Amino acid sequence: MMYTFRSFLLALSAPTLALGLLAPSAHGAELTVNYLLGDKFEAAIGAGVRVAPRYMGSRDTTTTFVPVMYAQRGIFFIDTSRGAGLQLLTDSGFYVSQSIHYDQGRGVKSDLFRPGGRDLAGMGEVPGSATWHTLMAQQVTPGLSISAEADVTLKSGVDRQNLRVGAEWNVIDAGDERVALGANAHWGNARYNQAYFGVTSTQAANTRFAAYNAHGGLYAYSVSAQWEHKLAEHWYSSVQLTAMPFVEHAKNSPLMARKTPVEAMMTVRYVY
């Protein structure tokens, strides 16, 4: 159960390559110091590259460096995908974590470390914000997990909220190889969808884009395939392809130059 769930979390976090975890099981144990801190420290470090659109819907593709870092002990964790927070895994296979993360927003110039592009000049920046990040998941069968993940911005006046609901299936999970398939649906509230897909009348006057009001609701589906390979003791590689067709409130946006973008992620990491 633990190894399967670790694999699920690795695939779930692939866009920023957080390593999966081995959270403490809850079975009526008292919240002692040993329970809270666990019996060992686990960590991973590595690096990778991501080939993806410069921002959601961009016609331009960019290659960026991706750091891989994860550390956890007991109920405490920190990683490059979900920030820092608390986690719990029960004997029934239910997992929940709560953490503080960061939404980078979107810029108006090409940047190796932040979504954005020069073609957005005149749109103004989508401000970044710390977020309250929640993840819940359930192991349904040894190879199938379902999950829901939400981000709520904490910066005053930003009020962006987005939700992902999906499933992940281990097609192959044996020895040094793992192959997994995933499918997800993505929703945003009105502020989130307007920030990333909408164009106000002021923005339209300053750019070549027509005004567009993006209402809250479903904005995309995504499907993914991941291959993980053990290179040697402690060393792992991972390759993932993800396609995200935009729908409903996003696909008709004038910002959507590509309505079904595909991205690739390749990483190597050392697990302590």
Side-chain angles (χ1 to χ4, degrees), residues 38 62 71 95 99 128 131 187 214 232:
T62 185
Y95 174 84
S99 59
T131 67
W187 287 267

Side-chain angles (χ1 to χ4, degrees), residues 18-227:
L19 180 68
L21 48 91
L22 199 57
S25 295
H27 31 211
E30 295 182 2
L31 295 181
T32 62
V33 172
N34 286 341
Y35 174 78
L36 294 175
L37 296 182
D39 58 0
K40 64 178 180 177
F41 174 80
E42 295 187 353
I45 190 168
V49 293
R50 180 188 183 202
V51 181
R54 288 193 176 277
Y55 58 88
M56 287 191 288
S58 173
R59 67 167 59 87
D60 298 324
T61 298
T62 185
T63 301
T64 57
F65 167 79
V66 179
V68 179
M69 189 279 290
Y70 172 78
Q72 78 96 25
R73 179 155 187 171
I75 67 171
F76 305 98
F77 75 90
I78 181 170
D79 70 36
T80 48
S81 175
R82 294 173 294 139
L86 306 176
Q87 62 188 2
L88 182 68
L89 174 62
T90 72
D91 288 339
S92 65
F94 175 74
Y95 174 84
V96 61
S97 71
Q98 192 69 62
S99 59
I100 298 294
H101 192 39
Y102 190 78
D103 176 358
Q104 291 183 306
R106 188 185 66 200
V108 292
K109 61 181 181 180
S110 299
D111 193 317
L112 290 177
F113 304 101
R114 186 186 185 200
R118 291 187 177 88
D119 55 329
L120 296 174
M123 287 290 295
E125 294 201 351
V126 175
S129 172
T131 67
W132 193 235
H133 184 91
T134 305
L135 169 62
M136 294 185 292
Q138 177 67 51
Q139 194 84 42
V140 179
T141 69
L144 177 66
S145 298
I146 56 176
S147 63
E149 191 172 24
D151 269 297
V152 177
T153 53
L154 299 176
K155 186 175 183 178
S156 176
V158 175
D159 191 28
R160 295 194 302 267
Q161 303 171 23
N162 67 298
L163 170 69
R164 178 202 58 79
V165 176
E168 196 258 359
W169 176 41
N170 286 332
V171 181
I172 299 172
D173 193 353
D176 297 340
E177 309 292 336
R178 188 181 75 89
V179 176
L181 302 177
N184 297 277
H186 305 261
W187 287 267
N189 70 343
R191 286 284 188 91
Y192 182 91
N193 287 352
Q194 183 64 28
Y196 289 109
F197 312 118
V199 181
T200 66
S201 56
T202 300
Q203 290 171 328
N206 295 328
T207 66
R208 59 184 175 82
F209 302 114
Y212 181 75
N213 187 22
H215 300 285
L218 181 71
Y219 68 84
Y221 295 106
S222 63
V223 291
S224 63
Q226 185 193 44
W227 171 42

